Amino acid sequence: MEYKNVHIIYFSPTHTSAKIAYAIAEALEADTLSESDITHEGLKELLSMGGNELVIVAVPVYGGRVAETAMDRIRMFKGNATPVIPVVVYGNRDYEDALKELSDALSAQGFVPVSAGAFIGEHSYSRKDMPIAAGRPDKDDLLKASEILKKLDNVSTLTDLQPLEVKGNFPYKVKGPSTPQAPVTDEDLCTQCEYCIDVCPVAAISIVDDRMFSDPSLCIKCCACVKECPEGARTFDTPYTAMLHKNFSARREPELFI
């Protein structure tokens, strides 16, 4: 089964989900490749997708579930028996129920999951002195991403496929209450270039009283502003960084469901 029209949808504050989505898409060698980058804003109206294209949806995992902002924005896409590859990217701890949550949501919206994958990306909390999956996805991860399509080579229509089973539980994991927190700015290093404002996916950063201010009630702790700041002026301190570095530094490998 060949798909010459591919559409990728991704929520990717630190670019890891986008890398995986593109690796899968490029392996298809499609005639047309289009994208919906929902990192910084969602669609204003529903987008219906047909059955003549393959859709790849890649999102990060936060606390064992799909990032809530990503899930909200994905609900603006509707399929019409549209084949889809759900992909989650997690920071080397565990993806728990996230892949099932994403697959279930897409199925409810009219898509047909044909294969799926869970990949590792550098954790949002990773730091130079306490790395957590630093540099992931790497070349081996991207090569593995291309293998997610193998099953499609052996079928001619969607009706030839068995219903896709992925790892995860329902009811989904209940996330505990999140403590409002946000990165802080070293004003001695900050030049107020406002790049952090541009990369924040939820518009949580602004200039208040001539200082950079991050609203903890809006911040989703993706740490895009920390990783992207050209001056290294942004930091996010949390005890979870040390815990994750200590307990989840051993390399984990991608899991494919084909």
Side-chain angles (χ1 to χ4, degrees):
M1 183 165 54
E2 292 186 353
Y3 286 98
K4 293 303 182 182
N5 302 307
V6 176
H7 188 101
I8 60 175
I9 301 168
Y10 58 85
F11 179 86
S12 190
T14 56
H15 313 301
T16 54
S17 298
K19 288 178 182 177
I20 294 296
Y22 269 104
I24 296 171
E26 289 169 2
L28 280 166
E29 299 181 349
D31 291 339
T32 63
L33 173 61
S34 54
E35 70 165 33
S36 293
D37 179 356
I38 56 173
T39 306
H40 297 101
E41 64 177 348
L43 301 180
K44 304 301 182 184
E45 57 185 29
L46 290 175
L47 176 62
S48 295
M49 314 195 77
N52 64 339
E53 61 185 335
L54 176 65
V55 177
I56 302 163
V57 180
V59 297
V61 177
Y62 293 169
R65 297 281 300 276
V66 175
E68 293 176 2
T69 304
M71 186 59 78
D72 289 341
R73 295 175 184 177
I74 287 169
R75 291 192 180 98
M76 296 301 291
F77 295 87
K78 299 298 180 183
N80 180 21
T82 307
V84 67
I85 299 176
V87 173
V88 296
V89 181
Y90 68 104
N92 210 55
R93 186 189 66 82
D94 199 350
Y95 61 93
E96 296 179 88
D97 299 334
L99 186 58
K100 180 169 177 56
E101 179 186 16
L102 178 61
S103 181
D104 289 349
L106 291 170
S107 295
Q109 290 163 215
F111 293 90
V112 179
V114 294
S115 55
F119 291 83
I120 296 83
E122 181 172 323
H123 199 287
S124 298
Y125 297 172
S126 179
R127 298 175 4 184
K128 289 183 179 179
D129 57 335
M130 288 184 283
I132 310 158
R136 307 282 299 275
D138 57 23
K139 63 179 182 179
D140 290 334
D141 296 318
L142 299 180
L143 180 61
K144 188 74 172 179
S146 66
E147 297 177 6
I148 205 170
L149 305 164
K150 281 186 175 180
K151 183 177 69 171
L152 301 184
D153 294 336
N154 302 319
V155 297
S156 57
T157 67
L158 286 180
T159 57
D160 295 331
L161 294 172
Q162 296 296 318
L164 185 69
E165 295 290 336
V166 301
K167 188 185 295 185
N169 299 299
F170 182 83
Y172 311 127
K173 172 186 176 181
V174 177
K175 294 177 66 175
S178 178
T179 302
Q181 188 181 358
V184 296
T185 302
D186 184 334
E187 298 296 340
D188 291 333
L189 295 176
C190 179
T191 63
Q192 293 196 355
C193 67
E194 302 186 19
Y195 191 55
C196 57
I197 295 177
D198 293 337
V199 301
C200 179
V202 291
I205 307 173
S206 59
I207 298 178
V208 178
D209 296 330
D210 202 34
R211 289 175 174 267
M212 304 308 301
F213 170 72
S214 295
D215 188 340
S217 68
L218 297 177
C219 178
I220 60 173
K221 305 175 187 177
C222 69
C223 292
C225 61
V226 175
K227 296 182 182 296
E228 297 288 336
C229 177
E231 306 300 331
R234 303 276 292 179
T235 58
F236 183 71
D237 289 321
T238 168
Y240 288 110
T241 301
M243 183 277 291
L244 291 166
H245 171 68
K246 178 181 178 181
N247 298 313
F248 300 101
S249 289
R251 181 183 178 93
R252 297 191 66 173
E253 297 298 333
E255 294 181 53
L256 304 183
F257 299 86
I258 54 178

